[in-house]
Each structure stands twice: as structure tokens, then as C-alpha cells.
Amino acid sequence: MSQTGRGAGWRHVLDDVTLPAYLTRPDANVWHHYPLPDLLYIQINRIRDATPEDLSQGLVKVLDEAEKKPIRNAVVDLRFNNGGNYELTADFSRRLPAILPPEGRLFVLTSANTFSAAISTAARLKYFGGPRTVLVGEPIGDRLQFWGEGGRTVLPNSKITIRYSTAYHDWEHGCSLSEIRTRFLLNYVYDVPAGPLQPDVARSTSFADYAAGTDPAMAAVMKILMVGNAD
């Protein structure tokens, strides 16, 4: 897929550039394809439901399809994902590692735009994938300990709308009973002690990479798969 010309006036830097997969469908909550016969690539851009299909239902269909194919490895791309409701990916994050063979690899792509429920999803994928999981890309956009949930309220005098957070998350160490008064209660069901989420293979995408239509993170994944070298 390439960008089409826009006629007279301003041109986009990606005009006439063949887009890498991760830039082809940024408006889709989730989509997938198979770069190799045994490689499943799933990009999740938002952890929210959208018509005509709920996100969790869509992910079930992806994995049902993948189980009928000779899938050996998988990539979950969370680089554009600023979060949502992590319950929607909870079953997916546990089931995907389970359908891969013991010698398979699970690659999780992250960036500074990976936030909130996307961090939770990455943590669960790493936990359930175990040593088969390889984090690739840039560091996530927040700490593994953060406040979330809550809502919005309007200040009585200024009438400014503010957002407040009411529940604490720790996706590095997991939940402890001593923190039950501050923890998000659903974390006692879904939380995992994933450990650090620093990239195992650090790859940043520069503006030059973007303008050229290249994807250093996926290039690193393909190199690992082809030659078994994570350098």
C-alpha cells in the first residue's frame, strides 16, 4: 500500500512511499495478517470496543483462525496503543502464548506511545509467554506502577473539568493484600508479576525511517526469525 498524490498544494512525506504494515491501518482497533506462513502479526491500536464487533470477540476469531494454521511465532504490536479496558485483552493475552509451540517466539512491540491497558496487556503477554517472549522496540510510555481508573469532575468555581484516578496498578510485582485499599480490585483477578518491561531488543524509529517507509522493530523480528540473532 502506498500513499496517493494529493494534487496541488502540500504533499505528505509518505506520498509515493510503500507503507510498512504497522502504518497501513492506524484507525483500526485491531487487525492481523501473516507476514510468513508460520508468523501471526496482530496490531492492537486501542483496547476498546468498536462496531461492528467487540474487540474481545475479534481477538477470539483471530486466534481461532490462527490455530488452524501452522503458526509457530507471533507478533503483537502495541506501539500506537494508549490503552482502554484491559479486560478486553485478558483472555487473548493468556490464550495466544498457549497456542504457540514450546519452541515458538512471542514478540511484543512497544514504544513511548504504549500506555495504560496496553502496558497491562504487554505485561500479561510477557508473563504467560515466559522466556519465549521477546520485547522489541522502545521503552513503554509510563512506569509499571501507575494510577488509573477514576473519572472526571468539574471544579466548582473555575468550572474546569479535571480527571482523577482512584486505583493503583503494579504490573511489575503484582498485587499484595496489604494494598487492597488502593489497588484496582480487578487486578486481584488479572494482575501478574511480569517483571521489567524494558525492550530485550531496543529499536527506535527515526523520522528518516518513517519517511522511508521502513520499520526497524519488525526488521529486527524478521532477523531473529531468519538467522536466530537478537544482537
Side-chain angles (χ1 to χ4, degrees):
M1 175 181 283
S2 62
Q3 295 287 328
T4 58
R6 303 172 191 274
W10 290 95
R11 288 176 54 81
H12 195 282
V13 69
L14 294 177
D15 283 348
D16 303 319
V17 172
T18 300
L19 297 180
Y22 84 104
L23 292 178
T24 58
R25 299 184 63 183
D27 293 331
N29 280 8
V30 61
W31 72 278
H32 74 287
H33 76 136
Y34 301 90
L36 299 171
D38 65 349
L39 176 62
L40 169 65
Y41 171 95
I42 307 173
Q43 185 177 48
I44 308 175
N45 292 318
R46 284 163 293 279
I47 306 180
R48 300 179 180 89
D49 287 331
T51 55
E53 185 173 65
D54 292 344
L55 178 63
S56 56
Q57 294 174 342
L59 291 171
V60 166
K61 289 183 178 180
V62 170
L63 296 186
D64 285 348
E65 176 189 285
E67 282 191 301
K68 298 174 184 176
K69 297 179 178 291
I71 298 302
R72 179 184 176 90
N73 306 291
V75 176
V76 180
D77 192 341
L78 300 171
R79 287 178 287 178
F80 291 156
N81 197 316
N82 65 2
N85 178 3
Y86 75 67
E87 291 178 78
L88 300 178
T89 58
D91 290 341
F92 162 81
S93 60
R94 185 164 193 158
R95 183 181 168 196
L96 175 58
I99 72 171
L100 299 178
E103 69 279 7
R105 299 283 193 96
L106 173 57
F107 299 91
V108 181
L109 309 188
T110 62
S111 78
N113 293 313
T114 304
F115 283 100
S116 189
I119 294 175
S120 309
T121 302
R124 287 176 57 86
L125 287 166
K126 178 185 176 184
Y127 179 79
F128 291 114
R132 299 178 299 165
T133 309
V134 182
L135 275 70
V136 182
E138 301 170 351
I140 57 177
D142 200 353
R143 299 177 179 89
L144 288 175
Q145 297 79 29
F146 58 87
W147 286 83
E149 317 324 312
R152 289 180 171 83
T153 189
V154 178
L155 298 177
N157 296 320
S158 67
K159 306 305 179 184
I160 294 174
T161 300
I162 62 170
R163 176 171 175 78
Y164 60 90
S165 297
T166 58
Y168 184 65
H169 296 253
D170 185 345
W171 292 93
E172 182 174 6
H173 305 105
C175 290
S176 70
L177 289 176
S178 64
E179 297 169 312
I180 195 168
R181 299 176 72 178
T182 56
R183 290 282 185 170
F184 183 43
L185 289 180
L186 282 177
N187 282 3
Y188 285 95
V189 178
Y190 296 112
D191 199 2
V192 293
L197 286 185
Q198 289 297 317
D200 301 299
V201 182
R203 290 292 186 277
S204 296
T205 301
S206 67
F207 180 77
D209 295 322
Y210 171 77
T214 60
D215 184 353
M218 271 304 292
V221 169
M222 300 304 286
K223 182 178 179 182
I224 293 169
L225 293 177
M226 295 300 182
V227 301
N229 180 14
D231 67 334

